[in-house]
Amino acid sequence: MIVGLFVPCYVDQFYPNAGIATLQLLEKFGVEVEYPSKQTCCGQPMANSGFEHLTGECDELFTESFAKYDYVVAPSGSCVLHLKEHLHSKKNPEAAERLRGKVFELVEFLTDVLKVKDLKARFPHKVGVHQSCHGLRGLKLSQMTELVEPGFSKPEYLLNFVEGLELIDLTRKDECCGFGGTFCVAEEAVSSKMGKDRVADHIQNGAEYITGADLSCLMHMEGILRRQKSNVKVIHIAEILNAE
């Protein structure tokens, strides 16, 4: 099995340690990983702003860069969902269609493809899990609380293997943080209030760290925490699962 590692813009520019942790974690499970050096943005910001017709070159480059791999893995639920639902190629439509079915967010790759039953990690802290909207409602990484169905959470399943980690219970466990990509720019007041509410839930329930599968959401909450001069930190789930 050879996996192509896709490192989204937020990870590359602001949180490279999450990309490094993703690589190291995959290699710990015996996966051969390659990083296509020509990769760029997947086009999600443009598409979400109503300009998907301008993302053609992003699609073509992604298809060209990753078509040869058995799987493509990225530490970003929102980018993965965009690729699963919107990746197209005029030059090689068959390759793009195959790729849409081979792109996985890190957590779902570990649980659904590698079927991880155990992992060696230690992170002795109280941790709250933020369920990002794309991961929750798009990738189905966790059960939505409004559904009368048995609950599950793939991130929590993996975090329960981590020695010393204590998962905290949230009052509203799958509430949106308000980031929403360009939403936080167009509706900054609403976005800020939603973020403050999300952060408050974690703080009130004793979290030392907030983790999740989307660094865009975590960055939004990190900004609020810093302005509040809070000691609570954010950390991508890959860094916890890779911690020793």
Side-chain angles (χ1 to χ4, degrees):
M1 178 193 298
I2 303 178
V3 164
L5 176 63
F6 173 49
V7 178
C9 307
Y10 270 101
V11 179
D12 179 51
Q13 296 296 317
F14 301 117
Y15 300 94
N17 286 339
I20 295 170
T22 299
L23 169 63
Q24 293 176 341
L25 191 59
L26 291 171
E27 290 180 337
K28 284 180 180 179
F29 285 104
V31 177
E32 184 178 347
V33 184
E34 294 184 2
Y35 177 83
S37 60
K38 292 183 179 180
Q39 63 178 279
T40 60
C41 177
C42 66
Q44 182 194 178
M46 287 184 286
N48 287 354
S49 300
F51 297 97
E52 187 175 356
H53 61 287
L54 300 179
T55 64
E57 293 302 316
C58 294
D59 285 349
E60 297 295 352
L61 181 58
F62 189 91
T63 302
E64 178 185 334
S65 299
F66 288 97
K68 67 179 182 179
Y69 295 109
D70 298 312
Y71 295 97
V72 178
V73 176
S76 170
S78 62
C79 296
V80 166
L81 183 64
H82 171 74
L83 290 165
K84 282 179 177 290
E85 295 188 343
H86 299 286
L87 180 66
H88 294 86
S89 170
K90 291 182 179 180
K91 296 179 181 178
N92 198 340
E94 294 83 6
E97 184 176 359
R98 288 194 300 271
L99 256 178
R100 289 199 297 272
K102 297 193 297 183
V103 180
F104 284 82
E105 182 276 326
L106 175 64
V107 167
E108 67 171 348
F109 184 75
L110 294 176
T111 58
D112 298 3
V113 179
L114 296 186
K115 301 188 184 302
V116 168
K117 303 293 184 185
D118 190 20
L119 56 84
K120 303 295 186 222
R122 176 173 170 77
F123 195 76
H125 300 282
K126 293 182 178 180
V127 177
V129 177
H130 174 65
Q131 312 282 10
S132 64
C133 298
H134 283 94
L136 178 72
R137 304 182 186 281
L139 298 177
K140 305 295 189 296
L141 296 184
S142 300
Q143 182 61 278
M144 294 169 276
T145 56
E146 68 266 22
L147 298 181
V148 186
E149 297 285 347
F152 70 89
S153 172
K154 295 176 184 179
E156 291 184 5
Y157 167 79
L158 294 173
L159 290 169
N160 279 322
F161 290 126
V162 179
E163 182 183 349
L165 186 147
E166 180 183 344
L167 283 171
I168 66 164
D169 292 322
L170 298 172
T171 306
R172 297 175 65 87
K173 67 185 302 179
D174 57 9
E175 188 173 70
C176 177
C177 72
F179 176 69
T182 53
F183 175 80
C184 72
V185 178
E187 298 288 349
E188 70 275 15
V190 178
S191 173
S192 178
K193 181 60 169 69
M194 292 173 71
K196 289 176 181 177
D197 288 347
R198 187 81 301 246
V199 163
D201 193 358
H202 286 270
I203 293 174
Q204 290 164 6
N205 286 287
E208 297 175 75
Y209 284 85
I210 302 174
T211 194
D214 267 298
L215 273 164
S216 51
C217 298
L218 294 176
M219 184 182 73
H220 179 59
M221 290 185 285
E222 183 178 45
I224 293 169
L225 289 166
R226 286 183 176 178
R227 286 170 176 80
Q228 294 177 347
K229 301 188 185 305
S230 172
N231 291 324
V232 177
K233 300 178 177 63
V234 303
I235 185 171
H236 191 275
I237 191 170
E239 294 177 83
I240 294 180
L241 300 178
N242 191 53
E244 296 179 351

